[in-house]
């Protein structure tokens, strides 16, 4: 079996948002929508920090689809549009999606967006991977772990582009993979474990 996942170092993440922008460009994500966002741990605003001057700290937490083993979004999808593929990724069949947004309500990570825009890809602007499907208006969409890239043996664009090398990608079912070793050695954790979704994205210091 193959179960793809990511380990993210919170100590290395500088909050530069390169992952967010690279994801947006790779996947032709519409304006006003993000599949990959960066939030500040324990703060309501990006500008806040923890502690008192001059001893201030700020921890950035990149959040996207967690590609859960037990995805809440899949359980509530009435058409089967949301599914787990053979590599453990949570994907969306856009032809089956009816835009009911039940998956958005069920996701505890707020990882999905609704596409209000008409589909378009500017042929005169090198924006997005031509292998990535143009999503129709009226469907839910989210991080796919860069399915087109990872199917070809590459890594997700957020991993490739991170200047701090905060992300490691690989097969969680392979105990010798770098991502599996990182999770074990760093005692990594997942977001909202009480939800029982068993995310395949792990975080560590």
């Amino acid at each position: 079996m193959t179960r793809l996942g990511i380990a993210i170092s919170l100590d290395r993440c500088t909050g530069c948002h390169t992952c967010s922008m690279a994801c947006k460009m790779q996947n032709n994500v519409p304006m006003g929508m993000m599949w990959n966002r960066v939030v500040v741990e324990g703060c309501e605003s990006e500008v806040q920090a923890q502690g008192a001057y001059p001893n201030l700290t700020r921890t950035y937490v990149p959040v996207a689809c967690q590609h859960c083993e037990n995805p809440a979004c899949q359980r509530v999808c009435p058409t089967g549009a949301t599914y787990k593929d053979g590599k453990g990724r949570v994907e969306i069949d856009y032809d089956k999606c009816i835009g009911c947004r039940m998956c958005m309500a069920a996701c505890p990570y707020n990882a999905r967006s609704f596409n209000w825009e008409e589909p378009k890809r500017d042929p005169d602007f090198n924006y997005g991977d031509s292998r990535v499907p143009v999503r129709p208006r009226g469907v839910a969409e989210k991080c796919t772990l860069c399915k087109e890239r990872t199917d070809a043996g590459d890594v997700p664009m957020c991993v490739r582009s991170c200047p701090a090398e905060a992300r490691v990608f690989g097969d969680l079912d392979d105990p010798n993979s770098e991502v599996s070793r990182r999770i074990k050695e760093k005692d990594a954790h997942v977001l909202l474990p009480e939800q029982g979704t068993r995310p395949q994205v792990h975080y560590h210091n």
Side-chain angles (χ1 to χ4, degrees):
M1 293 290 292
T2 299
R3 189 165 51 96
L4 299 177
I6 294 178
I8 301 175
S9 169
L10 300 180
D11 284 347
R12 282 182 170 270
C13 180
T14 63
C16 68
H17 296 270
T18 300
C19 57
S20 300
M21 295 299 103
C23 168
K24 193 174 182 69
M25 294 185 70
Q26 165 70 24
N27 295 290
N28 199 37
V29 178
M31 293 297 292
M33 183 188 299
M34 285 288 188
W35 286 5
N36 196 329
R37 46 189 216 287
V38 180
V39 299
V40 181
E41 185 176 60
C43 299
E44 296 178 359
S45 168
E46 179 80 16
V47 299
Q48 291 180 323
Q50 297 169 310
Y53 179 83
N55 301 310
L56 298 171
T57 60
R58 179 181 289 160
T59 300
Y60 296 99
V61 182
V63 180
C65 176
Q66 303 292 294
H67 294 275
C68 305
E69 291 184 53
N70 181 32
C73 55
Q74 183 183 25
R75 293 197 303 271
V76 301
C77 180
T79 65
T82 296
Y83 65 98
K84 289 280 285 183
D85 73 6
K87 295 186 178 180
R89 299 167 296 202
V90 176
E91 303 291 354
I92 302 173
D93 184 334
Y94 302 113
D95 290 334
K96 292 182 178 179
C97 181
I98 58 174
C100 68
R101 288 171 276 180
M102 289 182 67
C103 58
M104 295 174 65
C107 176
Y109 309 101
N110 194 29
R112 292 188 172 223
S113 303
F114 188 74
N115 189 0
W116 296 94
E117 303 293 329
E118 292 291 345
K120 61 182 178 181
R121 181 177 280 139
D122 189 342
D124 298 322
F125 186 59
N126 185 22
Y127 182 71
D129 187 328
S130 62
R131 296 171 297 179
V132 177
V134 177
R135 282 81 61 193
R137 180 181 180 182
V139 300
E141 55 182 77
K142 64 171 194 67
C143 159
T144 66
L145 272 185
C146 285
K147 184 179 186 303
E148 292 73 26
R149 291 175 60 85
T150 51
D151 278 350
D154 208 336
V155 300
M157 187 56 79
C158 62
V159 177
R160 174 71 64 202
S161 64
C162 179
E165 299 182 350
R167 295 168 177 252
V168 174
F169 171 79
D171 183 3
L172 299 174
D173 281 344
D174 178 1
N176 297 315
S177 68
E178 185 178 357
V179 68
S180 293
R181 293 198 306 269
R182 179 77 62 89
I183 290 169
K184 182 179 180 180
E185 292 170 1
K186 298 291 186 178
D187 193 25
H189 64 279
V190 297
L191 299 181
L192 305 179
E194 67 276 8
Q195 295 290 331
T197 55
R198 303 197 301 278
Q200 291 169 203
V201 176
H202 294 72
Y203 299 83
H204 63 85
N205 294 323

